[in-house]
Amino acid sequence: MLLVRQRALPRAAGVAFVALAVVPDLMHTLPVVAWALFNGLTGDFMLYLRALPDRAQPLPAEVELWSHHLHCVFHSGVIALGVTAATGLWLRVFWWPLAGWWSHILIDVFTHSDDFYPSPVFYPLTYWGFDGVAWNRPGFVIANYAALAVVWAWLLMTRRKRHQR
């Protein structure tokens, strides 16, 4: 049966998958964190984190430049493909935690609109990004959390079944 996990997921592999799924959104905040901490502007950093398309936090030009390019690099399918190919050649196998990064890119392509952090999936070839459905719309947020709950329940149920054998 396809919906029953056949073997346990190694903890380190799961942690690596989750870490690589989160890295793209963490990396582009590093210049903003450095700027805010260096200048004692932690309140401005919190505004940046909660920004909406019509209320984006203005940043110094250099911070904006670094943040923008890090966002582009870590949301680029072209760059992820290069890293995946290099890792595959080195290890001689697909290192599956990279699927965490790929999942982030794929999800962001369709859940970011042109109004707010579009995902430049073909960067550095172009800045073009798909105009998707904004993830912060209430209906989408509800559907997202419902999907997460279903996946979490599936993981728990398949874990219990495996341990009952």
Side-chain angles (χ1 to χ4, degrees), residues 46-123:
M46 295 311 293
L47 286 174
Y48 173 81
L49 288 180
R50 293 187 302 253
L52 295 173
D54 56 342
R55 291 182 263 154
Q57 175 70 13
L59 298 170
E62 285 184 17
V63 174
E64 182 69 40
L65 178 73
W66 278 99
S67 179
H68 173 74
H69 283 291
L70 284 171
H71 177 265
C72 292
V73 165
F74 285 93
H75 287 81
S76 169
V78 173
I79 291 174
L81 182 62
V83 170
T84 301
T87 305
L89 289 172
W90 182 48
L91 297 175
R92 303 221 186 264
V93 66
F94 174 71
W95 189 55
W96 90 264
L98 283 173
W101 186 12
W102 279 104
S103 69
H104 184 107
I105 292 169
L106 184 63
I107 290 168
D108 274 10
V109 164
F110 298 106
T111 60
H112 285 254
S113 68
D114 281 340
D115 296 332
F116 197 58
Y117 280 110
S119 291
V121 71
F122 299 113
Y123 178 86

